Amino acid sequence: MKATVCYKQNDLRTEDLPIPEISDNEVLIKMLACGLCGTDIQKIRGDSVQKPTVLGHEVVGEIIKKGKNVNKFNLGDRVITAIHVPCFTCHYCNKGHYTICEQFRTNNIDPGGFAEFIRIPELHLKHLTHKVSDNISDEEATLIEPIACCLHGLKQADIRANDSVLIMGAGTIGILHAQLAKIKGANKVIISDISEHKLQKALKVGCDYAINILEKNLADEIKRITNNQGVDVIIIAAGVSSLLSDAVNLVRRAGKIIVFSGFDNNKLVEIDASRFFKDEITIVGTYSVTPYEFPEALDLLEKRKLNTKEMITHVFPLDKLSEAINLSTNPKESVLKVIIKS
Ligand SMILES: [Zn+2]
Ligand SMILES: [Zn+2]
């Protein structure tokens, strides 16, 4: 079968690999589509994961083979799955922090989403695999995992009716957050970025204000839009650590800041510490997704609550993953979500 293997930083090769063998409790899917995530690009370009490896985790596929003990699914079912399953019993899981469970990052689909055929292990099948209804296309189904990740973050945001929400970063994740914030009842959804085409997309899917921070002063705009109050919720959806200092200055009293991005560079930032006590602000980080957010993500797509059409801009074949990454990271391109198909 074809799979695109990452050998070392930026070295991707599409090769012939053996089709994974499955046990009695597992299934084999034929990959129909797999989203290219910002974290895949970070892993391919950085050194955070062991290589060689096959990346890709926003996958939808058709079950073409199943073990004799598998009753939950049938051959021909179109399913989505995700990559990590927590143990549900450790110190962190007991406190509800499933994504930092020790087991979480140790298990994976085999060999990864950027492959023609994928083995779904027993634990994934039990906790993370869901049938996709017919009214969701293959391309849309790849968004279920990122939508579920955003829902995981938004649980911490606790958006209430009438809240104003600022999303820093208008990439796929930022634009999903914007749409979900509206669904959760936010009154004013503001998004900021440096890319004009991304900001235009954000307006098309329902953002109320889109601010290009190369042209406008974000603090002034927020003051104007919120009548000098600041925003109730800020979601940082871009990996620039200085945004955290900005967010602390822009959040309303009793407001919440959700850090939804990895800050790998410039890890130390200065923040106005006086705001914690007298203004009761909160900063909370959220990473990845737990098994509990998938049903809601599926339901939102089934009920056509999200505009996904505007979000998926490009489709590439498996052996053009490098090209897909180059396009996706080129600030001059009008690109949002890129999907890989086998
Ligand atoms: Zn992802
Ligand atoms: Zn655990």
Side-chain angles (χ1 to χ4, degrees):
M1 68 165 186
K2 270 197 297 182
T4 299
V5 186
C6 180
Y7 275 90
K8 50 185 198 297
Q9 276 171 290
N10 293 324
D11 179 3
L12 290 167
R13 300 178 216 164
T14 304
E15 300 189 325
D16 231 336
L17 294 189
I19 294 176
E21 298 284 333
I22 59 162
S23 76
D24 291 345
N25 301 307
E26 300 176 329
V27 303
L28 186 73
I29 60 168
K30 179 178 174 6
M31 187 266 268
L32 298 168
C34 184
L36 174 61
C37 174
T39 61
D40 293 322
I41 300 175
Q42 277 168 10
K43 286 170 189 164
I44 288 165
R45 294 193 161 175
D47 53 10
S48 64
V49 291
Q50 281 227 315
K51 299 178 175 88
T53 185
V54 176
L55 291 154
H57 55 272
E58 300 172 355
V59 65
V60 57
E62 181 189 334
I63 297 179
I64 55 156
K65 205 171 168 185
K66 65 170 197 163
K68 67 173 179 354
N69 298 338
V70 176
N71 305 314
K72 197 172 157 190
F73 298 102
N74 293 311
L75 293 179
D77 281 354
R78 222 161 40 107
V79 294
I80 58 108
T81 190
I83 45 174
H84 301 313
V85 191
C87 78
F88 300 99
T89 56
C90 72
H91 175 74
Y92 299 114
C93 285
N94 282 336
K95 296 208 293 182
H97 291 281
Y98 301 99
T99 59
I100 48 171
C101 163
E102 297 284 341
Q103 180 189 288
F104 192 70
R105 289 218 249 178
T106 61
N107 52 61
N108 212 327
I109 52 173
D110 172 28
F114 300 135
E116 216 174 341
F117 298 99
I118 300 154
R119 175 178 66 90
I120 303 184
E122 184 178 1
L123 278 178
H124 292 69
L125 206 58
K126 190 170 172 194
H127 299 290
L128 285 181
T129 306
H130 298 269
K131 204 176 155 179
V132 178
S133 51
D134 292 341
N135 72 336
I136 300 173
S137 71
D138 293 342
E139 288 83 354
E140 280 178 310
T142 66
L143 289 172
I144 294 166
E145 195 267 355
I147 292 167
C149 286
C150 292
L151 290 169
H152 178 56
L154 286 176
K155 275 185 185 165
Q156 301 294 333
D158 188 24
I159 293 171
R160 310 283 179 96
N162 259 334
D163 275 0
S164 53
V165 176
L166 167 66
I167 293 140
M168 298 172 134
T172 305
I173 289 294
I175 290 185
L176 283 176
H177 269 305
Q179 297 195 58
L180 293 168
K182 277 275 172 193
I183 291 169
K184 301 275 172 201
N187 177 24
K188 288 177 180 158
V189 175
I190 310 153
I191 199 159
S192 62
D193 204 285
I194 53 171
S195 154
E196 197 51 45
H197 82 264
K198 285 181 180 159
L199 292 167
Q200 290 307 319
K201 281 274 180 204
L203 290 172
K204 272 191 186 159
V205 303
C207 273
D208 301 297
Y209 303 88
I211 300 166
N212 189 330
I213 54 170
L214 294 178
E215 291 165 8
K216 285 190 172 148
N217 180 294
L218 184 59
D220 291 345
E221 292 299 302
I222 295 297
K223 276 186 196 149
R224 182 179 63 79
I225 295 165
T226 62
N227 220 354
N228 288 321
Q229 298 300 309
V231 275
D232 295 286
V233 171
I234 298 180
I235 295 157
I236 304 178
V240 181
S241 58
S242 62
L243 294 176
L244 184 58
S245 332
D246 299 340
V248 170
N249 297 327
L250 300 173
V251 77
R252 189 173 181 159
R253 300 188 75 202
K256 291 196 169 72
I257 297 167
I258 310 298
V259 178
F260 200 82
S261 266
F263 298 141
D264 292 333
N265 302 318
N266 307 314
K267 292 176 197 175
L268 295 180
V269 289
E270 249 177 33
I271 56 172
D272 178 356
S274 73
R275 298 217 60 202
F276 289 98
F277 184 62
K278 70 177 175 31
D279 289 339
E280 293 195 351
I281 68 161
T282 306
I283 301 175
V284 54
T286 77
Y287 160 70
S288 196
V289 59
T290 82
Y292 301 111
E293 285 90 24
F294 284 87
E296 186 180 351
L298 274 155
D299 189 61
L300 288 169
L301 278 190
E302 268 169 29
K303 293 187 176 142
R304 320 296 317 162
K305 294 273 176 71
L306 293 159
N307 181 335
T308 53
K309 264 217 168 67
E310 287 292 338
M311 302 196 60
I312 298 163
T313 55
H314 295 79
V315 178
F316 279 87
L318 195 50
D319 56 1
K320 295 276 187 288
L321 184 58
S322 285
E323 285 86 335
I325 292 172
N326 290 339
L327 175 99
S328 175
T329 50
N330 184 345
K332 290 191 186 119
E333 296 283 352
S334 289
V335 54
L336 204 57
K337 190 68 183 174
V338 175
I339 309 284
I340 305 297
K341 288 186 124 181
S342 67

